[in-house]
């Protein structure tokens, strides 16, 4: 190939080092340094986790951030926001209201999703016609109890007292009353998530994600038991794929009547990504770590699938690429670059992520 009419650059964020917009711009700068004549289209992506509001705001003309103060995952107030789209849809992001980046140190047993529920309540009070509920980057394993309680649900212990917020409180849960929950908007509520894990078991919320939130083995067992207790009181199948997302927050939202959707695909559809891919001959995508979990529907996997269907080349850039991850998806990507390999180590790659992203863009362009 000697010429490229259009290159779509649609990465996810590299969590902790660069947001999706920064990643896209750095890759574009590197590419343009080698192939200045190409038409570069930047479309920062998200999968329902951190950066989802940013992605919608950049892609949807007329989107407005709506400030809201909520209770953070450790009870401290958080100045957050939700996004109002011109069609009346409200986008509420768990990462910016109850996320793991809002808490230090980690509190695996006490962290909660109350702030997320408060932001949802604010969107409902505004009169949104539909909700996109972006799950990802959670700090807690409370099964969504904090969020539902903030919306009006009642969770009591055997003595009729409200249970403590956080995963630890689930151990005392005896009764649940969802009768005071508000009605869903007319257009419903769509849960945006990039995981397919069930609520319980070896692939469940506590076992897989609890340790990432600071839970020790004994605490993981306690959280699992608490989630099982919750599952026995709500009319939702805990084996539902995706119910374990965000510490089981998806499970609680399903009990409210929300529906699950693959985060990358739902965000991509809303942003017009499929049409953009059809107009491109090369698609560059990426994320902080490309591993075997990426095939569950994360941004690079989603973009590569669209590129294959459109007959475009899919190129991957990741902070790190897990051994065997590319082999597990033969032919998915025409080329791939790891910043860790490029920089000679993960510390160097993380110290100057934008610089190495530019270098990765240049390398991909030169190899084309």
């Amino acid at each position: 190939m000697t010429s490229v009419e259009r290159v779509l650059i649609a990465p996810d964020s590299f969590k902790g080092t660069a947001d999706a917009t920064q990643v896209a711009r750095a890759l574009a700068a590197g590419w343009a340094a080698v192939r200045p004549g190409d038409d570069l289209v930047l479309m920062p992506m998200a999968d329902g986790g951190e950066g989802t509001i940013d992605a919608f705001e950049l892609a949807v003309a007329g989107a407005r951030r709506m400030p809201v103060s909520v209770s953070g995952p450790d009870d401290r107030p958080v100045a957050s926001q939700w996004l109002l789209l011109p069609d009346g849809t409200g986008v509420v992001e768990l990462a910016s209201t109850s996320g793991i980046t809002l808490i230090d140190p980690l509190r695996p047993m006490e962290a909660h999703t109350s702030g997320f529920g408060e932001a949802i309540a604010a969107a409902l009070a505004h009169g949104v016609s539909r909700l996109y509920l972006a799950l990802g980057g959670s700090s807690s394993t409370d099964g969504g109890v904090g969020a539902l309680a903030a919306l009006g649900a009642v969770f009591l212990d055997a003595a009729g007292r409200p249970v403590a917020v956080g995963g630890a409180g689930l151990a005392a849960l005896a009764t649940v009353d969802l009768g005071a929950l508000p009605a869903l908007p007319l257009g419903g509520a769509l849960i945006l998530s990039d995981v397919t894990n069930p609520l319980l078991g070896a692939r469940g919320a506590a076992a897989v994600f609890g340790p990432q939130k600071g839970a020790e083995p004994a605490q993981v067992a306690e959280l699992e038991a608490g989630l099982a207790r919750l599952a026995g009181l709500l009319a939702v199948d805990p084996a539902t794929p995706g119910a374990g997302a965000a510490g089981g927050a998806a499970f609680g939202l399903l009990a409210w009547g929300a529906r699950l959707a693959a985060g990358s695909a739902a965000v991509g559809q809303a942003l017009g990504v499929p049409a953009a891919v059809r107009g491109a001959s090369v698609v560059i995508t990426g994320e902080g770590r490309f591993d075997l979990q990426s095939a569950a529907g994360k941004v690079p996997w989603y973009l590569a699938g669209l590129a294959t269907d459109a007959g475009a080349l899919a190129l991957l850039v990741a902070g790190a690429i897990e051994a065997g991850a590319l082999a597990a998806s033969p032919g998915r990507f025409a080329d791939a670059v790891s910043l860790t390999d490029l920089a000679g180590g993960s510390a160097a790659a993380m110290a100057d992520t934008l610089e190495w992203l530019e270098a990765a863009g240049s390398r991909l362009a030169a190899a084309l």
Side-chain angles (χ1 to χ4, degrees):
M1 183 180 294
T2 58
S3 64
V4 176
E5 292 185 359
R6 178 164 294 185
V7 180
L8 176 66
I9 303 177
D12 199 351
S13 63
F14 281 40
K15 292 179 176 58
T17 57
D19 62 37
T21 301
Q22 292 173 317
V23 174
R25 288 173 177 165
L27 289 171
W31 185 279
V34 175
R35 298 177 61 92
D38 290 340
D39 179 14
L40 305 184
V41 178
L42 278 58
M43 191 168 280
M45 267 289 291
D47 55 16
E50 180 184 358
T52 298
I53 280 180
D54 295 338
F56 272 97
E57 184 181 32
L58 284 167
V60 181
R64 288 191 293 143
R65 287 183 183 257
M66 310 295 286
V68 60
S69 179
V70 301
S71 305
D74 57 0
D75 298 324
R76 291 182 297 179
V78 170
S80 188
Q81 66 281 310
W82 58 278
L83 194 69
L84 179 64
L85 303 184
D87 67 356
T89 298
V91 184
V92 187
E93 184 185 279
L94 187 145
S96 63
T97 53
S98 304
I100 197 167
T101 61
L102 302 175
I103 188 169
D104 186 18
L106 298 177
R107 301 177 65 192
M109 304 305 294
E110 297 83 15
H112 54 77
T113 55
S114 300
F116 184 47
E118 291 165 6
I120 293 171
L124 291 174
H126 187 83
V128 295
S129 59
R130 177 174 53 177
L131 280 171
Y132 286 150
L133 304 174
L135 302 193
S138 168
S139 62
S140 62
T141 310
D142 74 347
V145 164
L148 292 182
L151 287 167
V154 179
F155 299 88
L156 304 177
D157 63 17
R161 299 167 301 198
V163 299
V165 295
L170 299 178
L173 188 59
T175 62
V176 176
D177 183 357
L178 305 183
L181 284 176
L184 294 172
L186 288 178
L190 200 62
I191 301 166
L192 309 182
S193 171
D194 67 345
V195 304
T196 57
N197 302 68
L199 181 69
L200 305 172
R203 293 187 59 252
V208 175
F209 305 116
Q212 299 173 11
K213 300 164 188 178
E216 300 294 336
Q219 294 174 316
V220 168
E222 184 179 342
L223 291 168
E224 174 77 7
L227 291 173
R229 198 174 184 90
L230 176 66
L233 296 169
L234 294 180
V236 176
D237 184 357
T240 302
F251 180 78
L253 294 169
L254 286 170
W256 182 32
R259 295 181 296 111
L260 273 165
S264 297
V267 173
Q269 195 65 42
L271 302 187
V273 171
V277 171
R278 288 193 294 271
S281 50
V282 174
V283 175
I284 305 175
T285 186
E287 63 181 339
R289 180 176 177 81
F290 185 80
D291 54 27
L292 295 174
Q293 290 293 318
S294 298
K298 293 190 177 182
V299 167
W301 192 264
Y302 166 68
L303 264 297
L306 291 178
T308 298
D309 292 343
L313 286 179
L315 308 178
L316 172 69
V317 178
I321 299 177
E322 183 181 87
L326 287 175
S329 51
R332 196 90 177 170
F333 298 97
D335 201 355
V337 175
S338 159
L339 301 192
T340 297
D341 293 344
L342 205 59
S346 59
M350 294 181 71
D352 294 296
T353 301
L354 297 182
E355 175 186 330
W356 291 110
L357 281 166
E358 283 197 34
S362 293
R363 174 170 289 196
L364 290 173
L368 188 67

